[in-house]
Amino acid sequence: MDAVTLRILYLMLTILIFFIISCIMKGSLKIIQKLYIASSSFLIIWIGAVAGITWIEDKKAPVLVTLDAVTCASMAFLVMTMFIMSYCFVHNLTVMPKKCCWLYLFPIVTSTIAFTNPLHHLFYRHFSVYVSEVQFGPLFIISGIQYYFWSCASIFMVLRYGLKNRHKMIVWQVMLFSGGLTVPLIINVLATLKIVDFSIAATPMAFFFTIICHGYAIYFLNFLNIKPVALQNILDSIADCYVILSSDSCIINANQPFLDNFGDDYGMRINSYLTSVVEELEPRKRDVIYNLLNFFDICKQSTSVISYEQAILCERGKLYYSVELTPIFIRRKLVGVVALFADVTKLKEDMRREKQMLSREMERERLASLGQMVGSISHNLKTPIMSVSGSVDSLERLIMEYRESIGDSEVTPNDHAEIAAEMEEWLKKIKGSCAYMSDVITTVKGMAVNMNTSNITEFKLEEVFKKVLILMKQNLIKHRCNLIIENKLPEDVYLKGDVNNLVQVLTNLVDNAKDSMGTKGGDIVLRAWYKEQVVYISVTDSGTGISQEVKRKLFVSMYTSKGAKGTGLGLYSSAGLIRGKFGGEMWVEDNPSGGSVFFVKIPLNT
């Protein structure tokens, strides 16, 4: 070995020792930095052993065997450490897994065989520092194959990772890492095949180039920085697919699900331009690209987040995605847009099923309400109709009596006046019954017309109570119930909203109170009072009461205790009306004397 090569080895030793000391003094080393320092340490030992071989003048001294064994062991540990480093890089590890520690069994076995070679001569049949005189044993060949295997595996693993991600920073790191490993690999191939007559210092000097490349990647390019990978993992976690577009609509990065769903079917691949892709697509698929391009332009112009929904056709059928485009800025300059695709197919299907189910339940409730309304109308109109019918019969009788009295000398003017007065009485009863029927029909018609509309007006609670009484009167009489109304609101207090909504709520509460009373009947108290700009309404019954378990479900789900006779939408929708239309709330408490008390709270300032 010439003096120049020896000086280069000393310089490399100095640089490596200085670098390792400076790294250790910084503290808080990451796993990649620890592995890098370990590989540098193995190279120092290797170079030191090579330098020691050159110091010894007697080339047949026994210590040369030991120093050569040190070089073999150092190379084996160095190559394995770099393989583990590449594994940690590819899998984004912050802690070296235990299974990687078992890989060190290979260099341990190699080192043991090298150090014990004088006992079995399996590593060298004849050892010599001169290449022309050395005779290799079978295990030396296996050790060489092992070196090539781990080196090639490291290069393949890193290159595959770089091709898969194609992130600019990762590509540079991969090039440095794989290039640094390739140089000593080529040197060893040339030396093994005896194409070039290298000295024993050639391989460690080549690995010094590897250490330089890895060090530059680690400390200048932030080699194995988990930030790009972490950002990718974050994007994967918040979106099913994502694609990063440059400012000129070029696809610069995308995750694998995006490429699977849009790559083959829609031609959207990395390094392709959306404007070029759309021209190659069949017409029925162009809408997907057109929409993305349109919203991409809007996002760039508005420099704000843009969202839209997109349907696509693929092998699995029709899929729906919620797309969110977010502009990317570097130093206040827009450089691109990231598009996040969230698969909402299942959500839309669930919403469709839920809508159908709710529609069916609402239809059932509507029919039940309609049946209840028809029953209420029939009960409310039956009595006045019978009264009108009876009054008409009486009038017919009086008219016949009056006709027969015409020309009768015994009928005095007083008798005629009496007949007329009696007819007036029956006419008053007919008018009263007709007025009552008109009120019922007007109330029902008003509720029916405004069932699907919102008519916001100012009204008094007295008007609401009157409509409730009209609608429920005959039904309550039939079930032996008596509605007691206690309106303690001041005359100048007005509520604002849809009067029919409140009528619907209170009618439902009174009807539920009537059902809870059973066949025994009783008093139902409808009370209203005013306190601190809030109107309170309560409906009190003396029925069977409500269990705590049922109370928890009444206003938060479609729950009914009436079995097939109820849908559970009554109180659920009533609470929604009070909350949404009046800004109030509903709740239920136990009646101390038995039964339940339902409360409605309506703030006047809303």
Side-chain angles (χ1 to χ4, degrees):
M1 186 184 302
D2 56 34
V4 176
T5 304
L6 193 59
R7 288 193 183 96
I8 293 175
L9 288 177
Y10 293 157
L11 179 62
M12 288 192 298
L13 277 174
T14 304
I15 294 173
L16 286 172
I17 292 172
F18 175 78
F19 181 72
I20 289 175
I21 292 173
S22 64
C23 290
I24 293 175
M25 289 179 65
K26 290 180 180 179
S28 64
L29 300 175
K30 300 177 182 179
I31 182 61
I32 298 301
Q33 294 171 328
K34 291 178 181 179
L35 291 171
Y36 175 74
I37 291 176
S39 60
S40 301
S41 302
F42 290 131
L43 183 58
I44 289 174
I45 297 172
W46 189 356
I47 294 175
V50 171
I53 291 175
T54 61
W55 292 337
I56 299 174
E57 296 181 358
D58 184 5
K59 300 306 178 183
K60 294 185 179 181
V63 71
L64 291 176
V65 177
T66 304
L67 291 175
D68 185 77
V70 171
T71 62
C72 293
S74 300
M75 183 179 70
F77 278 98
L78 173 61
V79 172
M80 184 55 67
T81 302
M82 289 185 172
F83 174 80
I84 295 174
M85 189 190 301
S86 65
Y87 181 83
C88 292
F89 169 45
V90 169
H91 294 86
N92 189 28
L93 301 178
T94 56
V95 178
M96 189 173 72
K98 293 182 179 180
K99 62 181 179 180
C100 289
C101 298
W102 289 101
L103 293 176
Y104 279 110
L105 286 176
F106 292 101
I108 289 174
V109 172
T110 300
S111 303
T112 303
I113 294 173
F115 279 102
T116 59
N117 184 69
L119 301 177
H120 47 69
H121 299 288
L122 294 175
F123 210 73
Y124 294 107
R125 288 197 179 96
H126 177 71
F127 173 78
S128 176
V129 294
Y130 302 105
V131 178
S132 58
E133 297 178 0
V134 69
Q135 294 180 10
F136 298 110
L139 293 181
F140 184 89
I141 299 173
I142 296 175
S143 175
I145 294 173
Q146 176 182 295
Y147 159 75
Y148 288 117
F149 172 79
W150 295 118
S151 297
C152 292
S154 300
I155 296 171
F156 173 77
M157 188 170 11
V158 173
L159 286 176
R160 182 172 176 269
Y161 179 74
L163 291 172
K164 182 179 178 181
N165 287 273
R166 298 189 183 183
H167 189 279
K168 185 176 180 180
M169 182 66 71
I170 292 178
V171 169
W172 274 104
Q173 295 166 350
V174 166
M175 289 174 61
L176 284 168
F177 189 83
S178 57
L181 285 173
T182 303
V183 171
L185 187 65
I186 294 174
I187 296 294
N188 271 279
V189 170
L190 295 175
T192 302
L193 299 177
K194 298 182 180 181
I195 298 174
V196 180
D197 188 16
F198 290 118
S199 68
I200 59 174
T203 303
M205 290 174 67
F207 270 105
F208 183 74
F209 173 78
T210 305
I211 292 296
I212 291 175
C213 290
H214 291 182
Y216 185 84
I218 290 174
Y219 292 97
F220 291 93
L221 291 183
N222 205 6
F223 181 52
L224 307 185
N225 180 12
I226 64 172
K227 186 184 292 182
V229 181
L231 292 176
Q232 180 177 333
N233 290 340
I234 291 173
L235 289 174
D236 286 333
S237 65
I238 63 177
D240 297 291
C241 307
Y242 76 84
V243 59
I244 300 176
L245 304 170
S246 64
S247 57
D248 55 354
S249 76
C250 178
I251 300 175
I252 60 175
N253 197 12
N255 63 349
Q256 195 59 44
F258 178 87
L259 298 176
D260 292 340
N261 290 329
F262 295 90
D264 295 334
D265 292 335
Y266 292 88
M268 288 192 279
R269 300 181 179 86
I270 294 176
N271 296 327
S272 62
Y273 288 83
L274 295 182
T275 50
S276 301
V277 169
V278 71
E279 297 175 358
E280 301 172 359
L281 283 179
E282 54 185 297
R284 67 187 184 92
K285 291 185 177 181
R286 289 180 181 176
D287 287 345
V288 175
I289 312 295
Y290 282 139
N291 285 341
L292 184 57
L293 276 172
N294 288 337
F295 285 100
F296 172 75
D297 291 336
I298 295 172
C299 182
K300 288 199 304 179
Q301 293 171 9
S302 63
T303 64
S304 60
V305 178
I306 303 294
S307 299
Y308 70 97
E309 191 172 284
Q310 180 65 59
I312 69 165
L313 296 173
C314 62
E315 294 180 356
R316 291 186 291 163
K318 194 171 186 179
L319 301 180
Y320 294 90
Y321 283 94
S322 174
V323 187
E324 182 178 281
L325 283 77
T326 304
I328 304 172
F329 295 93
I330 296 180
R331 296 178 182 177
R332 298 184 180 180
K333 180 182 178 182
L334 191 143
V335 295
V337 170
V338 58
L340 305 178
F341 290 74
D343 190 346
V344 294
T345 307
K346 187 176 183 302
L347 177 61
K348 287 183 72 70
E349 183 64 23
D350 292 342
M351 289 177 64
R352 185 185 65 80
R353 285 197 296 265
E354 184 176 347
K355 185 177 179 181
Q356 288 179 344
M357 183 179 68
L358 184 59
S359 178
R360 287 195 295 268
E361 293 295 335
M362 291 294 289
E363 183 65 17
R364 286 177 56 194
E365 178 67 15
R366 190 186 70 82
L367 292 175
S369 299
L370 183 60
Q372 180 182 346
M373 185 182 295
V374 171
S376 178
I377 293 172
S378 65
H379 283 297
N380 284 310
L381 296 182
K382 186 176 181 179
T383 299
I385 287 174
M386 293 298 294
S387 176
V388 170
S389 178
S391 299
V392 169
D393 290 341
S394 298
L395 283 173
E396 288 179 346
R397 178 178 55 79
L398 288 172
I399 291 172
M400 290 177 62
E401 184 179 345
Y402 181 76
R403 283 176 178 171
E404 291 175 356
S405 66
I406 296 174
D408 191 343
S409 57
E410 295 182 0
V411 178
T412 65
N414 289 334
D415 293 332
H416 287 286
E418 186 178 340
I419 293 174
E422 197 172 342
M423 293 175 72
E424 287 177 354
E425 287 294 325
W426 288 115
L427 285 174
K428 286 180 181 179
K429 289 183 179 180
I430 291 174
K431 286 182 179 180
S433 297
C434 289
Y436 176 72
M437 288 190 289
S438 177
D439 289 341
V440 172
I441 293 171
T442 301
T443 301
V444 173
K445 182 180 178 181
M447 292 186 66
V449 170
N450 295 305
M451 188 172 289
N452 295 318
T453 60
S454 182
N455 185 18
I456 305 301
T457 58
E458 286 190 345
F459 59 90
K460 286 188 174 183
L461 200 58
E462 182 181 353
E463 178 185 351
V464 177
F465 287 173
K466 180 181 178 182
K467 290 186 177 184
V468 172
L469 182 59
I470 290 173
L471 289 172
M472 297 298 300
K473 183 177 180 181
Q474 297 300 326
N475 206 357
L476 291 171
I477 293 173
K478 178 182 177 182
H479 289 81
R480 302 179 184 177
C481 293
N482 180 35
L483 182 62
I484 301 174
I485 296 178
E486 299 178 3
N487 186 6
K488 298 181 181 180
L489 291 184
E491 286 292 327
D492 58 345
V493 173
Y494 285 82
L495 294 174
K496 186 175 182 180
D498 192 333
V499 63
N500 292 303
N501 290 149
L502 192 55
V503 171
Q504 180 182 344
V505 171
L506 296 183
T507 301
N508 181 262
L509 293 179
V510 173
D511 189 62
N512 287 343
K514 177 260 299 178
D515 290 339
S516 70
M517 306 283 273
T519 57
K520 66 177 183 178
D523 291 337
I524 298 173
V525 182
L526 178 58
R527 184 181 292 111
W529 67 96
Y530 176 79
K531 181 180 179 182
E532 298 178 354
Q533 291 294 308
V534 177
V535 171
Y536 294 90
I537 305 171
S538 67
V539 178
T540 306
D541 65 67
S542 56
T544 56
I546 304 173
S547 67
Q548 293 297 324
E549 181 181 357
V550 174
K551 284 181 184 177
R552 290 193 295 267
K553 301 177 182 178
L554 280 181
F555 304 108
V556 295
S557 63
M558 292 182 288
Y559 179 83
T560 179
S561 59
K562 300 179 183 178
K565 296 181 180 179
T567 64
L569 279 170
L571 289 174
Y572 181 69
S573 60
S574 295
L577 285 173
I578 294 299
R579 190 167 53 247
K581 296 295 182 70
F582 295 94
E585 59 180 301
M586 284 182 63
W587 72 94
V588 62
E589 295 179 5
D590 291 331
N591 185 0
S593 60
S596 304
V597 184
F598 282 84
F599 292 91
V600 176
K601 175 183 176 183
I602 302 177
L604 292 185
N605 56 5
T606 58

